Amino acid sequence: MSRLVVVSNRVGDPRKPAAGGLAVALGDALAQSGGLWFGWSGKIVEGGAPGEGELHEQRSGAVKLATIDLSRADHDAYYTGYSNQALWPALHYRLDLADFGAGYFAGYQRVNRLFARKLATLLRPDDVIWVHDYHLIPLAAELRALGCRQRIGFFLHIPLPPPPILAAIPGHEWLMRSFFAYDLVGLQTRVDTDHFARFVQEEANATALGGGEFEAYGRRVVARAFPIGIDVDEFRRLAGSAESRETEAMLRDQYSKRRLLVGVDRLDYSKGLPRRFRAFRELLDSYPENRRSATLIQIASPTRETVHAYEDLRHELEGVAGEINGHYGELDWMPIRYMHRVWARRRLPALYCLARVALVTPLRDGMNLVAKEYVAMQDEADPGVLVLSRFAGAAEQMREALLVNPYDIPATAQAIQRALQMPLDERRARHAALLAQTRAQDVHWWRRSFLDALAAIEPRTRDAAA
Ligand code: ADQ
């Protein structure tokens, strides 16, 4: 069995229960193969030399964790800059928010080169390497330049927009060429895969060889959709934790006379939070029977706070929530409970369990795992209803949710009302289909499908010339 090497910007410790979905998904596969997980340590060295960083190695059971520090200059250009101020907005269709600042691109290249240099010293010839997300698109090209011949796969967790948007990214030719150093490129949805196919054919004159394989720049790559999932049972087990039980008791006590709606997101402009709040206001306005009853609990945990767009969003959201609560609130009822703070993963199941409706209404999302977690936590005999944006990757699989266009605020309000009024039979039928889907294509299915597809690619097809 080949050793699995996972590379991602941040490294999770698979043995820690709070580690999160990716660590849960990859933990078993890493442990079975005595694998290696490589990435940034999370430490920023003030005044450190650009392109340099100390490597730390530690063990977590059978898994080796190798992490590297970043200098302040590298962190700001590679992570805050190019990854989160250029690629994140552009790949979420928000060119208006993208900042292709001077020095960002060079920093991105420099850190990818640094990762490759350090990682190459740890690799064995028959390793299988799996690189994750937009921070590391050029990593395989840098590894190939150092002579690495191992199988390398890449998975993009966020959307890939259509060709006209991709073509607006300065240096997009270089970025696209970088994908061809991989053997397999995994995307979240068929729509993303279609965008990839069109882009490489239109912009790089790639030849489609069938089965998702493309040839360009003298190399071949396979691009396919691998929609990521969750581990349903692992998530349900979290409900037994002390934190979850405590949260559930508190919610039952506080909200027994209310109908709870829930939103759980990182505070990010892609998640459509101001529009979600406006749709909720529209609900209270158009369907007054929900006043003194419907309560929206919105958790929006802080992220990337040094980026201006996030600060603007926070102010906007606080303004909208305050306005709605000021206008509709009563002494004994506040329409919106908005919490801008970090929430422990272990406390989420209780919130999902008690909510009659989940509002998952991003303007654009790679997948959105909150939608799947909500479905996993419903009581099958009396389940709640998922209101899901058609622009979340999850909408491709979760057809039995109430799909909405989050830009259409009255229609979203109408869908929320329908969710609140939905008869038990319909709720059960929709939920049963959603749960079966969430179980069938869970995170282990995702990992196996990707790694099987990577293993099935014949080495001779990598270089078109070979
Ligand atoms: P995210 O943008 O972080 O991830 P999402 O899939 O919604 O989006 O959440 C990932 C995990 O974070 C889930 O387990 C969720 O419970 C947790 N989470 C989100 N908000 C939280 C909060 N406020 N408090 C505590 N936990 C929270 C990126 C892409 C997504 C894609 C995932 C996985 O943007 O589109 O689904 O990667 O590929």
Side-chain angles (χ1 to χ4, degrees):
M1 181 196 226
S2 297
R3 182 175 72 153
L4 175 62
V5 176
V6 172
V7 191
S8 58
N9 179 57
R10 292 306 302 270
V11 170
D13 184 338
R15 290 204 302 184
K16 293 196 177 141
L22 193 61
V24 171
L26 301 174
D28 287 352
L30 280 165
Q32 277 161 22
S33 71
L36 166 69
W37 195 339
F38 182 93
W40 172 39
S41 63
K43 185 172 168 202
I44 303 170
V45 181
E46 301 294 342
E52 297 298 332
E54 195 183 333
L55 185 69
H56 311 275
E57 293 181 51
Q58 65 181 98
R59 297 209 73 85
S60 168
V63 183
K64 187 170 172 182
L65 308 177
T67 57
I68 182 168
D69 301 338
L70 289 181
S71 68
R72 165 62 66 189
D74 282 349
H75 170 268
D76 290 358
Y78 146 82
Y79 181 74
T80 312
Y82 198 73
S83 296
N84 287 327
Q85 289 187 258
L87 284 182
W88 176 272
L91 296 186
H92 282 87
Y93 300 55
R94 293 297 303 270
L95 287 170
D96 59 318
L97 293 177
D99 177 359
F100 302 101
Y104 289 176
F105 186 61
Y108 184 71
Q109 284 181 306
R110 196 165 60 233
V111 171
N112 271 274
R113 203 162 291 151
L114 168 67
F115 268 40
R117 223 172 57 229
K118 297 281 181 179
L119 176 61
T121 63
L122 305 173
L123 292 177
R124 301 174 191 156
D126 66 341
D127 281 344
V128 169
I129 306 166
W130 190 0
V131 179
H132 288 263
D133 233 357
Y134 58 101
H135 316 86
L136 300 172
I137 296 170
L139 189 70
E142 297 295 346
L143 286 169
R144 301 280 185 227
L146 297 172
C148 297
R149 304 277 303 159
Q150 290 86 345
R151 280 194 171 82
I152 314 181
F154 176 82
F155 185 76
L156 185 66
H157 288 256
I158 66 174
L160 194 77
I165 296 184
L166 283 173
I169 300 174
H172 65 86
E173 302 88 353
W174 172 84
L175 214 54
M176 206 29 85
R177 194 185 180 102
S178 304
F179 281 118
F180 280 80
Y182 290 97
D183 299 299
L184 177 65
V185 169
L187 300 147
Q188 296 273 28
T189 64
R190 284 192 300 275
V191 168
D192 298 324
T193 312
D194 183 48
H195 293 160
F196 183 91
R198 277 170 47 206
F199 189 82
V200 296
Q201 290 173 95
E202 288 165 20
E203 295 285 334
N205 278 325
T207 311
L209 302 169
E213 194 170 7
F214 298 92
E215 186 177 317
Y217 313 109
R219 285 191 57 89
R220 291 179 186 180
V221 69
V222 175
R224 279 179 42 194
F226 298 90
I228 195 169
I230 63 164
D231 180 329
V232 171
D233 295 322
E234 181 267 340
F235 199 77
R236 284 186 175 175
R237 272 196 297 278
L238 293 180
S241 68
E243 289 97 325
S244 189
R245 286 207 306 268
E246 187 188 306
T247 308
E248 187 174 338
M250 184 273 292
L251 289 171
R252 281 194 197 283
D253 182 50
Q254 291 285 315
Y255 296 100
S256 58
K257 295 198 197 74
R258 314 286 180 218
R259 310 197 78 199
L260 281 188
L261 297 92
V262 70
V264 175
D265 306 79
R266 285 182 304 97
L267 183 64
D268 192 285
Y269 46 80
S270 65
K271 305 290 182 184
L273 297 174
R275 282 187 171 81
R276 182 180 306 168
F277 282 11
R278 291 191 181 102
F280 187 66
R281 177 174 57 194
E282 181 81 20
L283 175 89
L284 299 176
D285 203 42
S286 303
Y287 308 97
E289 66 269 30
N290 292 305
R291 295 186 201 163
R292 303 191 87 112
S293 166
T295 304
L296 170 59
I297 297 185
Q298 175 66 56
I299 315 279
S301 50
T303 67
R304 306 172 196 166
E305 289 188 299
T306 52
V307 179
H308 286 309
Y310 290 78
E311 208 181 309
D312 295 347
L313 174 66
R314 184 162 71 85
H315 290 308
E316 182 184 1
L317 210 54
E318 282 167 2
V320 182
E323 191 262 315
I324 296 172
N325 282 343
H327 188 76
Y328 292 101
E330 301 284 351
L331 274 180
D332 60 349
W333 169 68
M334 276 300 150
I336 299 184
R337 293 281 171 179
Y338 163 61
M339 277 157 281
H340 176 59
R341 76 178 78 104
V342 177
W343 252 63
R345 185 173 145 78
R346 274 193 283 231
R347 291 177 71 193
L348 289 177
L351 202 50
Y352 294 143
C353 266
L354 292 189
R356 302 305 307 162
V357 177
L359 300 183
V360 180
T361 55
L363 304 178
R364 201 55 72 174
D365 217 330
M367 177 55 57
N368 196 301
L369 295 179
V370 170
K372 298 186 176 187
E373 291 167 355
Y374 178 72
V375 165
M377 287 317 301
Q378 295 310 294
D379 173 0
E380 288 168 51
D382 185 17
V385 180
L386 173 64
V387 174
L388 178 63
S389 163
R390 54 176 294 180
F391 303 125
E396 248 185 33
Q397 297 169 297
M398 305 182 91
R399 307 308 292 176
E400 292 81 9
L402 289 187
L403 295 182
V404 296
N405 168 8
Y407 292 94
D408 187 340
I409 289 171
T412 304
Q414 210 174 20
I416 301 173
Q417 173 69 354
R418 188 174 162 206
L420 286 165
Q421 305 273 314
M422 191 178 284
L424 180 62
D425 283 357
E426 185 180 351
R427 282 191 277 127
R428 275 188 176 163
R430 285 177 182 271
H431 177 259
L434 288 170
L435 184 63
Q437 217 295 322
T438 303
R439 271 199 184 283
Q441 297 192 331
D442 71 356
V443 75
H444 303 291
W445 168 87
W446 168 77
R447 184 200 67 229
R448 277 195 309 271
S449 313
F450 186 93
L451 290 175
D452 288 353
L454 183 55
I457 293 170
E458 287 298 321
R460 63 178 170 74
T461 64
R462 292 176 202 169
D463 290 315

